[in-house]
RNA sequence: GGCGGCAUCGCCAAGCGGCUAAGGCAGGAGAUUGCAAAUCUCCCAUUCCCCGGUUCGAGUCCGGGUGCCGCCUCCA
């Protein structure tokens, strides 16, 4: 079955044809590890995971590379401002290296909880300084660079196609734009390849280079590491939609200038998660982390399910009610799965084909989920077949349908006491007292479900906002 | 100022010119329960922001409004 993907480069849905089938090289821009990821960041990684799983489902052999930006990402793309990692280190009174290490681990924990398959290769920027310098040297030899007082810059006017990914013309960037003006730059879109360490402050992360002590620019990192591990051109490059106009545009400029061939064949971008009507962003101060969700009693996979209800190229509006809905829907899938007998059976070919068609149509996960529900509700399909078919779907959905996670909650001693008291009242058919205790427990944030096996506790969830 | 996108049930959200406008959540009715919860069954948009147009046929294409968002600062 053909796979179709929307390519930002051509602005069209295209038939996916890897350069060297059945191998697929895929590079996804990883996190800058100066803080926890928020669920908006994580939406993109979920989208990329779905993409990868769909490729695997189509029997491609995927080599997935993800970078960790642990140096060089400044607080402004105008190449002003501080290095994000160093700034955070100062704030937390830890070394830059510790900060990077700490948030890298936090990130890896998050994606694990979301059932995101780990990349085949993780690469850290600080492990590739020599490679960055090598590429800058190539660019320098080809005349693409120039020196200013604070670094080595890439001259974007030397690239006729500059901005092709974003569809932006150089000339249109000036008027009204909120660009910090750097008088030493030849063009407003020029960007730093290598930045010199400031004279007055000692940086924690800095290296020698042919141009002086300093650190690499952000964009060079992805250009170098993607090509190093995947060759050039490689098949797929992904990232958030925000990377189109600058980061990916600059990657393309560098890589194609250096090697005179396309950087990647397909460029895919995930849309934003929005909060109210605004995007979720650290700078907007409206961000929520995965731990925030967990603290409220939501499972990370409920968030994954929530993300699957929207197409990756549409903005998705986050509300607590919508997340609650996702959690409930997912629980229902789990409940259904538990009922089905665990015996070997062939999956249902018709449903599988429908599902396959949906995911191959530019990852139409909302459709795929709709098909999933149709199957669950179809009483013409025997339950053991439902089970195997759903497990087949779960190779892409990644919702752990075969092994539903238990939501662990911490219950204080006090609640256990009340619960016991209520059970005694119930045995004595003192319903009034039992209901009163139930109310009391509810007031303390827990909901009781009486089952034939005894009472079960759940954390009450705030539905507001 | 430039570029791009979006407006579909109370909420989230599919749909990309043609069967009766997916699906989930919420809501309603019933089964179950001491009552609940959970679970199960059934019901739940003659209509797609507004106005024109193209077409045998439009939520889907075109033109014009209105409202909103993103990017051109950092961002997934």
């Amino acid at each position: 079955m053909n796979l179709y993907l929307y390519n930002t480069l051509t602005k069209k849905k295209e038939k996916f044809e890897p350069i060297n089938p059945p191998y697929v090289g895929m590079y996804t821009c990883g996190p800058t590890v100066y803080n926890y990821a928020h669920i908006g960041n994580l939406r993109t990684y979920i989208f990329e995971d779905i993409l990868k799983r769909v490729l695997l489902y189509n029997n491609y052999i995927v080599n997935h590379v993800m970078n960790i930006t642990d140096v060089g990402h400044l607080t402004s793309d105008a190449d002003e401002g501080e290095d994000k990692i160093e700034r955070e280190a100062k704030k937390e009174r830890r070394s830059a290296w510790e900060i990077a290490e700490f948030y890298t681990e936090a990130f890896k924990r998050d994606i694990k909880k979301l059932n995101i398959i780990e990349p085949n290769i993780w690469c850290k920027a600080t492990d590739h300084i020599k490679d960055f310098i090598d590429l800058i040297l190539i660019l320098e030899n080809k005349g693409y660079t120039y020196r200013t007082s604070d670094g080595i810059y890439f001259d974007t006017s030397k690239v006729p196609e500059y901005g092709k990914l974003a569809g932006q013309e150089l000339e249109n960037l000036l008027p009204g734009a909120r660009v910090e003006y750097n008088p030493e730059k030849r063009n407003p879109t020029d960007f730093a390849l290598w930045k010199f360490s400031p004279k007055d402050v000692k940086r924690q992360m800095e290296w020698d280079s042919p141009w002086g002590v300093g650190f690499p620019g952000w964009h060079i990192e992805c250009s170098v590491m993607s090509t190093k591990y995947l060759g050039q051109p490689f098949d797929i490059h992904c990232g958030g939609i925000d990377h189109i106009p600058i980061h990916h545009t600059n990657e393309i400029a560098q890589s194609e200038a250096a090697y005179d061939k396309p950087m990647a064949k397909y460029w895919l971008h995930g849309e934003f998660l929005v909060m109210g009507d605004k995007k979720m962003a650290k700078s907007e101060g409206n961000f929520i982390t995965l731990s925030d969700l967990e603290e409220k009693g939501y499972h990370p996979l409920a968030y994954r399910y929530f993300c699957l209800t929207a197409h990756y190229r549409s903005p998705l509006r986050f509300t607590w009610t919508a997340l609650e809905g996702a959690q409930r829907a997912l629980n229902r899938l789990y409940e259904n799965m538990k009922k089905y007998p665990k015996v070997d059976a062939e999956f249902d070919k018709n449903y599988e084909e429908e599902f396959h068609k949906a995911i191959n149509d530019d990852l139409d996960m909302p459709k795929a989920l709709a098909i999933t529900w149709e199957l669950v509700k179809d009483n013409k399909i025997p339950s053991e077949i439902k089970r195997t078919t759903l497990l087949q779907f779960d190779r892409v959905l990644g919702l752990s349908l075969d092994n539903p996670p238990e939501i662990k909650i911490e219950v204080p001693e006090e609640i256990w006491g009340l619960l016991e008291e209520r059970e005694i009242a119930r045995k004595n058919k003192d319903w009034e007292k039992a209901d009163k205790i139930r109310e009391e427990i509810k007031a303390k944030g827990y909901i009781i479900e009486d089952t034939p096996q005894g009472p079960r506790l759940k954390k009450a969830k705030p539905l507001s906002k």
Side-chain angles (χ1 to χ4, degrees), chain A residues 226-241:
Chain A
S226 58
T227 297
K228 171 162 181 167
Y229 295 106
L230 298 172
Q232 185 173 325
F234 57 93
D235 295 296
I236 303 178
H237 193 133
C238 304
I241 193 171

Side-chain angles (χ1 to χ4, degrees), chain A residues 60-77:
Chain A
Y60 291 113
I61 299 166
V62 181
N63 190 199
H64 176 199
V65 178
M66 186 184 283
N67 69 297
I68 297 285
T69 298
D70 56 354
V71 68
H73 199 160
L74 303 185
T75 53
S76 155
D77 268 351

Side-chain angles (χ1 to χ4, degrees), chain A residues 53 389-402:
Chain A
R53 285 169 180 266
T389 313
L390 286 170
L391 289 182
Q392 182 72 0
F393 293 179
D394 202 41
R395 287 173 51 197
V396 174
L397 302 176
L399 294 169
S400 296
L401 294 182
D402 55 334

Side-chain angles (χ1 to χ4, degrees), chain A residues 367-396:
Chain A
K367 182 96 164 268
L369 276 184
I371 292 162
T372 302
W373 281 104
E374 266 172 46
L375 170 66
V376 168
K377 294 188 163 183
D378 188 339
N379 48 30
K380 289 200 242 5
I381 306 284
S383 25
E384 67 273 16
I385 293 182
K386 281 189 187 176
R387 182 170 173 277
T388 45
T389 313
L390 286 170
L391 289 182
Q392 182 72 0
F393 293 179
D394 202 41
R395 287 173 51 197
V396 174

Side-chain angles (χ1 to χ4, degrees), chain A residues 72-84 180 195:
Chain A
H73 199 160
L74 303 185
T75 53
S76 155
D77 268 351
D79 296 302
E80 313 284 333
E82 296 175 272
D83 185 308
K84 291 185 174 195
E180 293 252 358
K195 288 273 285 185

Side-chain angles (χ1 to χ4, degrees), chain A residues 21-52:
Chain A
Y23 300 98
V24 174
M26 171 172 165
Y27 185 87
T28 56
C29 281
T32 301
V33 284
Y34 69 105
N35 205 331
Y36 294 106
H38 65 244
I39 58 174
N41 301 134
L42 294 171
R43 183 185 179 201
T44 299
Y45 299 108
I46 292 172
F47 139 63
E48 291 161 351
D49 184 56
I50 293 292
L51 170 61
K52 178 159 135 194

Side-chain angles (χ1 to χ4, degrees), chain A residues 166-196:
Chain A
Q168 243 159 2
E169 308 285 322
L170 261 174
E171 310 81 67
N172 290 333
L173 286 173
L174 269 177
R178 297 163 289 178
V179 192
E180 293 252 358
Y181 190 61
N182 177 347
E184 285 189 81
K185 287 209 299 197
R186 293 184 189 163
N187 311 286
T189 45
D190 291 356
F191 53 92
L193 298 163
W194 187 263
K195 288 273 285 185
F196 304 135

